[in-house]
Each structure stands twice: as C-alpha cells, then as structure tokens.
C-alpha cells in the first residue's frame, strides 16, 4: 500500500480529537465547532443555522460530524442549506474529520461542523 502525506498549505486541518475536544492549529477546543480552510470557530449546534449560512458562496459542502454515531440532521437545517446551494453530508465525527482533512488538502471548498465524541 502506498501512503501519501497530505499537504495543507495554509488550510487548517483537524489535528486530533478525543472525548469532548478537537485540536485545531495546536489549540484544544472543548466545544462544537466549524472548521474551514481559513480557520475554526464556535458552532452552536443544529440550531445555529446563521453561522452555516454565512459561508454561502465560500464553501460547496459541509460535513456534519454528529458525535460518536451517525445521526440524522434536522429537516429544516438540510432544507435551508440546500436552498443556499450548500451540500450536506452527515457522518460520525471521526469520519467527518478525516473526510474534511483529505478534501481541504486538495484545495476543495469544504467545511466541517463537528460535535465532540464522548469516547475514542
């Protein structure tokens, strides 16, 4: 198997995660957050739609990390993002971190909205 090291240029990858936290740019964040190529910021969860809609025109898809298990996204959230032209993919948070990292390393216009895991 051939492994290829990811290069992020100026993008901000998810460097790690654990019970209740994420590590972005060397800093530990113990809360839900949104990560884009330009950095990370707080996210109030599924009801914090404005934070997501403010990325309209800057990203093409948001990977939702739903915690330890794959969860369903609220219909209103999916519909609003679809109306704004932003794609939505829900997966558990570890998978969302990995998917985001690979695509942001390719220069794709992606974001990850992440809920912390409770176990590793």
């Amino acid at each position: 198997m051939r492994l290829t090291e990811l290069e992020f240029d100026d993008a901000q990858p998810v460097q790690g995660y654990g019970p209740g936290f994420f590590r972005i740019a060397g800093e530990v964040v113990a809360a839900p957050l949104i990560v884009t190529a330009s950095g990370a910021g707080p996210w109030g969860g599924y009801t914090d739609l404005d934070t997501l809609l403010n990325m309209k025109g800057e990203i093409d898809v948001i990977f939702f990390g739903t915690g330890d298990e794959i969860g369903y996204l609220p219909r209103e959230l999916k519909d609003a993002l679809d109306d704004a032209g932003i794609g939505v993919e829900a997966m558990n948070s570890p998978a969302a971190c990995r998917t985001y990292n690979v695509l942001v390393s390719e220069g794709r216009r992606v974001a990850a909205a992440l809920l912390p895991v409770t176990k590793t």
Side-chain angles (χ1 to χ4, degrees), residues 4 12 14 25 29 35 44 66 71 73-74 78 82 84 107:
T4 303
Q12 296 297 315
V14 178
V29 179
V35 186
T66 58
L73 299 177
K78 289 173 66 174
D82 188 47

Side-chain angles (χ1 to χ4, degrees), residues 83-94:
D83 290 345
I86 299 173
V88 174
E89 292 290 333
M91 54 193 75
N92 67 25
S93 291

Side-chain angles (χ1 to χ4, degrees), residues 7 57 59 71 91 104 118:
E7 296 195 20
I59 61 164
M91 54 193 75
V104 80
T118 59

Side-chain angles (χ1 to χ4, degrees), residues 38-103:
S38 60
W43 178 49
Y46 298 133
T47 59
D48 186 5
L49 185 57
D50 289 340
T51 301
L52 303 172
L53 290 175
N54 286 337
M55 294 186 288
K56 180 180 177 177
E58 297 173 18
I59 61 164
D60 298 319
V61 65
I62 299 174
F63 300 105
F64 283 89
T66 58
D68 295 308
E69 303 293 329
I70 297 172
Y72 292 100
L73 299 177
R75 170 62 50 199
E76 307 80 42
L77 174 71
K78 289 173 66 174
D79 288 347
L81 292 170
D82 188 47
D83 290 345
I86 299 173
V88 174
E89 292 290 333
M91 54 193 75
N92 67 25
S93 291
C97 291
R98 290 188 302 270
T99 303
Y100 165 81
N101 279 354
V102 168
L103 293 179

Side-chain angles (χ1 to χ4, degrees), residues 12-18 20-31 33 35 40 97 100-101 114:
Q12 296 297 315
V14 178
Q15 296 170 317
Y17 60 86
F21 76 90
F22 298 96
R23 189 172 55 250
I24 310 291
E27 292 190 36
V28 173
V29 179
L33 59 95
V35 186
C97 291
Y100 165 81
N101 279 354
L114 304 169

